[in-house]
Amino acid sequence: DRLLSGQAIGRAMALRLAQANVRMTVPEFVVISLSSSAALGAVGFAIQRFMVSAIAAAAVGLVLPWLLVEARRGKRIKAFHDQLIDVLTLVVGSLRGGHALLTALDLVSKELGPPACEEFERVLREIGFGLSQAEALNNLVARMETDDLQLIVTAVNISHEVGGNLSIVLEKITETLRERIRLQGEIRVLTTQQRLTSYVLAALPILLTIVLAVLNPRWILQLFQPGWVRMIPAAALTSDVLGFVITQMLTKIEV
């Protein structure tokens, strides 16, 4: 645990787990990934009795837990972003009623559903453990990784340091976010077909290779014989990844 926590990759993995709200340490998750890889590798070898099948199944078992975490992480961050308008509405209403910011955040943690309630409850817990308000909110930004939240936290921190009417500032930010979310929704609808096409085209060669490795390992093994033939799968994988990245860049429009 100390070895992983002291490395950049360990801290990045811990952040990913926190963003996905997976309640386990990095070493525990690594053990689960390795166990999944070993189990699927043994199953693949038992079915086909070929090392290529075992390696392909083990690779799937190793990557699968990380894919599940990334999927949950992305879904959770998006859900939090969708709740920002409700968060701001509650905070502005509470501030206008004469309550302090921490009281408003406590109201958010009690009134809204996850993940907003979980994240703001964690913010309040960190403040209770001795972190400053700015540090706890900056930790929230690091976990959720949204530009809109960064804007809100920056406004709150500046208001906390120099003073001012925070409720008016947050109300203006709310209006800006509503318009931005509306535009993002329109853009997302218009680019849905292109994004789905990029996912299908990128996943199809990989899935087909895995299926062939399980059904006919001898055929796939020919692509990994010594010599120039090994350049074929390397070039195919490079082209697949490059095409996916380019397609995603073309469909990503900043608002």
Side-chain angles (χ1 to χ4, degrees):
D1 192 359
R2 293 179 180 178
L3 179 62
L4 286 174
S5 61
Q7 302 295 325
I9 186 173
R11 293 191 294 270
M13 291 165 61
L15 178 60
R16 285 290 195 275
L17 294 177
Q19 290 171 331
N21 199 30
V22 176
R23 301 182 183 277
M24 63 177 63
T25 63
V26 173
E28 290 173 345
F29 189 76
V30 170
V31 170
I32 290 176
S33 299
L34 294 176
S35 300
S36 173
S37 176
L40 288 184
V43 171
F45 184 78
I47 293 175
Q48 293 291 333
R49 298 292 180 178
F50 285 102
M51 188 57 65
V52 175
S53 300
I55 294 175
V60 173
L62 182 64
V63 174
L64 184 60
W66 298 99
L67 293 179
L68 294 176
V69 167
E70 285 298 316
R72 181 172 179 178
R73 169 182 172 270
K75 183 179 180 180
R76 194 166 181 271
I77 290 177
K78 182 181 182 303
F80 182 87
H81 183 268
D82 293 340
Q83 289 180 300
L84 277 180
I85 298 297
D86 296 331
V87 170
L88 286 173
T89 301
L90 284 175
V91 171
V92 170
S94 182
L95 292 176
R96 284 184 171 179
H99 298 290
L101 178 61
L102 293 183
T103 303
L105 297 182
D106 182 61
L107 179 64
V108 170
S109 68
K110 294 177 180 177
E111 294 295 330
L112 294 183
C117 64
E118 299 168 343
E119 290 300 325
F120 283 101
E121 183 180 355
R122 182 168 181 171
V123 169
L124 294 172
R125 189 164 58 247
E126 289 179 350
I127 294 174
F129 287 156
L131 267 68
S132 67
Q133 175 181 298
E135 290 174 330
L137 291 175
N138 288 333
N139 289 341
L140 174 62
V141 173
R143 289 193 300 273
M144 292 295 100
E145 294 183 348
T146 64
D147 294 335
D148 294 338
L149 180 61
Q150 177 69 67
L151 176 64
I152 296 169
V153 170
T154 300
V156 170
N157 290 338
I158 292 175
S159 177
H160 182 71
E161 292 178 1
V162 302
N165 195 330
L166 181 59
S167 63
I168 295 179
V169 175
L170 294 181
E171 186 176 7
K172 295 296 183 182
I173 293 177
T174 304
E175 296 175 0
T176 302
L177 293 187
R178 282 199 178 100
E179 183 64 18
R180 180 183 294 180
I181 290 173
R182 184 186 66 81
L183 292 175
Q184 287 175 341
E186 293 181 0
I187 292 172
R188 191 169 185 83
V189 170
L190 294 174
T191 59
T192 298
Q193 182 178 355
Q194 289 76 14
R195 287 184 288 106
L196 289 178
T197 301
S198 68
Y199 287 124
V200 172
L201 292 178
L204 190 59
I206 298 175
L207 294 177
L208 183 60
T209 302
I210 294 174
V211 171
L212 291 176
V214 174
L215 298 179
N216 193 349
R218 291 189 182 90
W219 190 86
I220 291 295
L221 194 60
Q222 294 178 4
L223 296 175
F224 298 93
Q225 297 297 325
W228 64 269
V229 72
R230 291 184 178 179
M231 297 178 61
I232 296 177
L237 180 60
T238 302
S239 300
D240 189 38
V241 173
L242 185 61
F244 177 76
V245 171
I246 293 176
T247 307
Q248 289 297 306
M249 291 175 60
L250 292 175
T251 58
K252 186 176 181 180
I253 302 175
E254 296 291 339
V255 179

